[in-house]
Amino acid sequence: MYNEKMLEKNISQEPAIKLFEKLGYTYISPEECVQQRKGLYGCVLQDILKEQLKKINSYDYNGKTNKFSNFNIDKAISDLDVPIQEGLLVASERVYNIITMGRSYEEEVDGRKVSFDLKYIDWNPETFLTNNVFHVTQEFSVDSDTKENRARVDIVLFINGIPLVAIECKSADKSVDQAVEQNIRNQTELYIPQLFKYTSLVIASNKNEVKYGTTRTSKKFYSVWNYEKDEKDLIENKVKTLELERIPTYQDKIFTAMLMPERLLEITRYFILFDAHVKKVCRYQQFYGVKNVIKTITQFNKEGNRNSGIIWHTQGSGKSLTMVMIANYILSNINPGKSKVIIVTDRKELDKQITRTFSNTKIKPTRAVSGRNLIDIINEKKADIVTTIINKFNIAEKAKTRNDSKDIFVLVDESHRSNYGELATKMRRVFPNACFVGFTGTPLMKNDKTAVKFGGNYIHTYTIKDGVEDKVIAPLIYEGRFVEQKV
């Protein structure tokens, strides 16, 4: 057992620590962590968090910039420690909302009590590397409620003192599935669930294999991360420049691709969601698909409109949740308050399904229940997200309904079926300057008319072959037969 532990520490754990230090994480010893945590039960590095809350937060009132009171800073730290009596996932959702959206606290200024927003992490892409602090530790011991099942996590990564990543390492001759099972065990009531209410990523690793999930991910849904060809050279060159003084391993490359500070912030902010109270993290094709969509739609064509394109992700790759992630990113980052997202399907059942998916993730869409209702929604310009079937544009176009905004983003599901005829033309007349992104799970030919309708641009592809290689869909097996016939 001792030799096995030494193997995993020397071959996986210690090299990972060195890598994280090279990536910009500051090492903090297990002993200092205990002091920061005020014992072995709590999991937040309180002194670091307190210092960061003071640094990144202020409020303006009557032309003056003020800092939050020590009382409210201490209360913000206390409020983050959400109790888990109602269940780990309930607590995790509340913690996630606090971390990503912040909280309001009442301050007394000029004899008045006024509420101001306080943030836990600076999400601004221009300042998040300078305004946030990143730490890594190892052998992170945590007490259970009974103290009989104290558990020790091999590596923990923190942003502003908040533990966002838990990593279990194994030696190269051990399957990462053992580490997956250990992660799952540690989240049960008998062990240390209080750590996992904070985590964005829960990772199992040896030097040759890495699997990841999030809080309460079951074993069958742990995924692999593959950096794609557009990023392959970038990641591998970055690993080389880190000067690790050893041959980089698969673990080094995947940890760099997933956990360099700017990537961890991005995944936490935009690629974690709760689907009917089940916490989910993106698979790699969703991450790169969303990133490619954003890159595409923030560029403009010669007519001055945003570029459009096709997302071709095979069945079972999570297209509906990809659409949720895209909508969330658009509304948060592209002209917030002005942008509108229209989700278009071609059947009532699909319309209900996509509306339900969005609603389950706490993004409440407005569903057009009739053509007249769609006209009202478009004219009122109040709804940020609208779901509708394409048939409703028939009435809208006849009524001369039109919105010329270039900040309308139309996401068309099953676009290979619904974008050739009159209804598709009418939809484009209603939104003449909109950005159209088509989604399909059906293989398309190179010059397919679906792609032509969306500008001939494939934004991202994830094929059946990719899904089979990732072991997320079963392979198609068939046998050719010759049947003798007489005519």
Side-chain angles (χ1 to χ4, degrees):
M1 180 66 187
Y2 176 77
N3 288 336
E4 181 185 317
K5 186 65 182 173
M6 288 302 294
L7 276 173
E8 81 178 35
K9 190 168 185 176
N10 293 336
I11 295 176
S12 179
Q13 183 177 322
E14 288 290 350
I17 294 288
K18 298 297 183 189
L19 174 80
F20 290 128
E21 289 183 284
K22 296 281 189 178
L23 288 173
Y25 291 86
T26 300
Y27 180 76
I28 182 168
S29 69
E31 294 76 23
E32 189 179 348
C33 277
V34 174
Q35 292 178 356
Q36 289 264 346
R37 292 156 54 199
K38 317 303 181 192
L40 286 176
Y41 189 82
C43 299
V44 172
L45 307 182
Q46 295 189 26
D47 294 341
I48 291 173
L49 178 57
K50 186 171 186 175
E51 185 179 335
Q52 283 301 109
L53 292 181
K54 289 180 177 179
K55 173 185 172 182
I56 66 176
N57 287 291
S58 61
Y59 59 90
D60 295 327
Y61 190 79
N62 280 346
K64 293 181 180 179
T65 299
N66 304 286
K67 289 291 186 179
F68 282 86
S69 65
N70 286 330
F71 175 83
N72 277 331
I73 294 292
D74 290 338
K75 190 170 190 316
I77 295 171
S78 174
D79 288 345
L80 187 61
D81 189 13
V82 174
I84 57 175
Q85 280 85 348
E86 294 180 59
L88 176 55
L89 281 174
V90 172
S92 183
E93 187 168 1
R94 289 175 182 168
V95 169
Y96 180 77
N97 289 337
I98 291 172
I99 290 172
T100 53
M101 294 186 287
R103 295 197 69 162
S104 291
Y105 291 95
E106 202 174 65
E107 290 281 340
E108 188 168 330
V109 284
D110 297 343
R112 297 182 60 191
K113 289 187 176 181
V114 187
S115 291
F116 300 97
D117 292 335
L118 177 146
K119 58 191 175 188
Y120 290 78
I121 293 174
D122 182 359
W123 300 105
N124 185 336
E126 296 178 1
T127 56
F128 63 50
L129 284 178
T130 53
N131 281 353
N132 300 303
V133 293
F134 308 89
H135 288 85
V136 57
T137 194
Q138 60 186 330
E139 307 297 338
F140 191 78
S141 293
V142 184
D143 272 345
S144 66
D145 279 331
T146 61
K147 293 193 178 180
E148 294 175 4
N149 292 325
R150 176 183 295 175
R152 187 166 58 195
V153 180
D154 289 331
I155 299 174
V156 177
L157 301 182
F158 303 85
I159 297 181
N160 294 349
I162 303 168
L164 292 185
V165 181
I167 304 173
E168 203 61 50
C169 299
K170 290 295 173 190
S171 57
D173 61 334
K174 300 293 181 185
S175 168
V176 294
D177 287 341
Q178 292 184 27
V180 170
E181 290 163 2
Q182 203 167 328
N183 281 331
I184 291 170
R185 182 209 68 181
N186 285 344
Q187 294 175 60
T188 60
E189 291 180 7
L190 292 176
Y191 282 83
I192 55 168
Q194 71 268 28
L195 169 62
F196 295 91
K197 68 187 176 187
Y198 301 104
T199 50
S200 297
L201 293 171
V202 182
I203 296 175
S205 179
N206 65 34
K207 75 180 185 116
N208 301 317
E209 192 177 4
V210 177
K211 289 185 178 180
Y212 74 97
T214 186
T215 306
R216 280 282 193 235
T217 300
S218 60
K219 185 177 178 179
K220 68 178 180 178
F221 290 122
Y222 267 71
S223 300
V224 294
W225 185 280
N226 289 330
Y227 48 87
E228 299 194 336
K229 59 183 179 182
D230 293 343
E231 199 177 65
K232 184 177 187 293
D233 291 341
L234 183 107
I235 293 297
E236 295 191 354
N237 288 335
K238 185 175 180 67
V239 173
K240 287 178 185 176
T241 62
L242 296 177
E243 297 179 357
L244 298 174
E245 299 177 356
R246 54 181 169 78
I247 298 172
T249 64
Y250 175 81
Q251 174 181 275
D252 292 325
K253 295 171 185 177
I254 297 302
F255 281 180
T256 300
M258 291 186 71
L259 300 174
M260 50 185 167
E262 56 269 41
R263 182 61 55 81
L264 175 56
L265 277 161
E266 205 168 20
I267 290 173
T268 299
R269 176 67 182 86
Y270 298 110
F271 296 94
I272 299 280
L273 50 80
F274 289 82
D275 184 5
H277 303 294
V278 175
K279 192 173 185 179
K280 296 181 178 180
V281 60
C282 66
R283 304 218 295 266
Y284 75 91
Q285 79 273 7
Q286 294 172 312
F287 177 83
Y288 290 111
V290 173
K291 292 279 287 181
N292 285 11
V293 166
I294 301 306
K295 182 179 178 181
T296 298
I297 66 179
T298 50
Q299 296 174 348
F300 293 81
N301 59 26
K302 60 185 179 182
E303 286 80 31
N305 293 329
R306 297 179 184 276
N307 286 336
S308 299
I310 287 277
I311 291 282
W312 170 18
H313 283 188
T314 191
Q315 299 293 338
S317 59
K319 288 199 306 298
S320 294
L321 291 181
T322 303
M323 294 170 83
V324 173
M325 293 171 189
I326 290 170
N328 182 34
Y329 199 106
I330 288 171
L331 296 176
S332 301
N333 291 278
I334 302 178
N335 291 342
K338 295 182 179 178
S339 293
K340 310 291 179 190
V341 177
I342 317 294
I343 313 293
V344 179
T345 57
D346 63 351
R347 295 204 306 262
K348 286 183 180 179
E349 293 77 11
L350 278 176
D351 186 38
K352 289 178 182 176
Q353 177 187 321
I354 200 74
T355 302
R356 187 163 56 248
T357 298
F358 270 79
S359 298
N360 285 343
T361 62
K362 302 290 179 70
I363 300 176
K364 300 296 183 187
T366 300
R367 184 172 176 234
V369 295
S370 67
R372 289 289 171 193
N373 183 221
L374 178 61
I375 293 170
D376 293 339
I377 293 168
I378 294 170
N379 289 337
E380 288 174 5
K381 300 180 180 179
K382 291 181 180 178
D384 290 333
I385 299 180
V386 180
T387 63
T388 181
I389 58 172
I390 196 168
N391 306 59
K392 293 181 172 60
F393 285 98
N394 191 24
I395 293 174
E397 193 267 346
K398 282 181 181 177
K400 307 294 183 186
T401 305
R402 181 183 171 106
N403 189 318
D404 292 312
S405 173
K406 295 182 180 181
D407 291 325
I408 289 177
F409 301 86
V410 183
L411 310 184
V412 183
D413 195 19
E414 302 296 351
S415 55
H416 61 282
R417 290 199 303 243
S418 57
N419 261 267
Y420 312 127
E422 217 177 308
L423 290 172
T425 302
K426 290 180 177 180
M427 176 176 67
R428 284 166 168 77
R429 285 178 187 157
V430 173
F431 299 125
N433 299 319
C435 172
F436 290 86
V437 179
F439 291 77
T440 182
T442 301
L444 302 175
M445 302 299 289
K446 187 173 182 181
N447 297 315
D448 187 273
K449 55 186 177 179
T450 304
V452 172
K453 274 286 187 180
F454 289 88
N457 177 31
Y458 287 94
I459 296 175
H460 193 260
T461 61
Y462 184 75
T463 65
I464 294 173
K465 181 175 179 288
D466 296 325
V468 171
E469 288 177 355
D470 292 340
K471 299 179 182 178
V472 295
I473 59 175
L476 294 172
I477 299 173
Y478 62 91
E479 180 181 0
R481 292 287 182 91
F482 177 77
V483 180
E484 291 187 10
Q485 299 180 72
K486 288 184 179 179
V487 178

